[in-house]
Amino acid sequence: MRNKLIASMAILLASSTAALADASDGKVKIGILNDQSGVYADFGGKSSVEAAKMAVEDFGGKVLGVPVEIVDADHQNKADIASNIARQWFDTDQVDAIMELTTSSVALAVQAIAKEKKKIDIVTGAATTELTGKQCSPYGFHWAYDTHALAVGTGGALVKQGGDSWFFLTADYAFGYSLEQQTSDFVKSSGGNVVGSVRHPLATTDFSSFLLQAQSSGAKVIGLANAGADTQNAIKQAAEFGITQGGQRLAALLFTLAEVHGLGLEAAQGLTLTEGFYWNRDEESQKFGKRFFERTGKMPNMVHTGTYSAVMQYLKAIDKAGTDETEAVAKQLHELPVDDVFAKGGSVGPNGRMFHDMYLLEVKKPGDSKEPWDYFNVLATIPGKEAYIDPAKSGCELVK
């Protein structure tokens, strides 16, 4: 009997030791790197950190028998700052994966470092299709949305409604260029034309000269190829110039629930936009939204819920692989279906793009909103295969 007990204890000890060995450093550490103090602080920010923590808690707080830790930092929308943080996290702080990565220039820089270090990155906050195009990585994944999906959704809807001439007000960095290009291509392929564009600095407070150029262009649609507080400020100042009263339409090409709340329904009503998640869409999303609200005081947008999904899927991949070793986890991330509150029947392509449905939304009039944060009418569901670029046409060298 004593020998059997000793043998059983030995087996348990061996199993425990194996689990610890399979999870490097006796823990799994995930870094949430995003803008927490600037123009995109509401878009992602500290609320994305809370979403990541929710995912860890819902998973049980451990994977392979070891604890899961969330760390976070503010990259201030600067690629050099983000790169320094990423290198420190990977080289000395034992961070296994970096996620969120709002701002396309930041996401591209950090993904390049993650590729060099053979570490996982999952982008939920940045938009450029280059992440799964020419600058793709075997360890890089793009989760919540991208510029192509926004162009197909918002751009496509407005062209169908007669908005066949466009002028772009574009944020002067990688994200803005990509969003303008993707939307321009879609407008032209749908029979419309682009009459001009102007670029503005990130986080500018004065849009007057840019809006006057857009107004004088005579375009039916002014495409706002920017995001966060930049979009809010452009819309507010456009109202002061009487742009929509003059018959031109504003297309907020990257606008989420967070920015609608910041702007208010009075100013935002009637805007058409595209998101990958809406909290008030069904019973499951409502439950998640209310849990999120209890922690943050706000309802989640697609970046917040996408971050929850990315963390949850990463932990599922580690569990399935039986290790947190990068190659094995990346393989599982490519193979496992994505089925959670964010995405139903989602799948990951060979270029790292996660395919999931997007939603074409219209901002409600103030009188139509039944409760706080009830801001959208769902106009259409855009299937993932229509929203995103075919991997074979993405330019990613990993696609054979």
Side-chain angles (χ1 to χ4, degrees), residues 292-306:
F292 186 86
F293 184 87
E294 289 173 0
R295 299 174 70 123
T296 65
K298 64 177 69 172
M299 287 295 183
N301 64 11
M302 64 180 171
V303 177
H304 306 137
T305 315

Side-chain angles (χ1 to χ4, degrees), residues 186-205:
F186 199 83
V187 167
K188 293 173 185 176
S189 68
S190 301
N193 68 301
V194 176
V195 300
S197 66
V198 63
R199 291 174 176 174
H200 69 81
L202 179 67
T204 188
T205 56

Side-chain angles (χ1 to χ4, degrees), residues 149 152-154 274 356-360 380-387:
V152 170
T154 308
T274 305
H356 60 91
D357 293 346
M358 297 289 289
Y359 303 99
L360 183 65
T381 299
I382 307 164
K385 295 298 182 184
E386 294 179 16

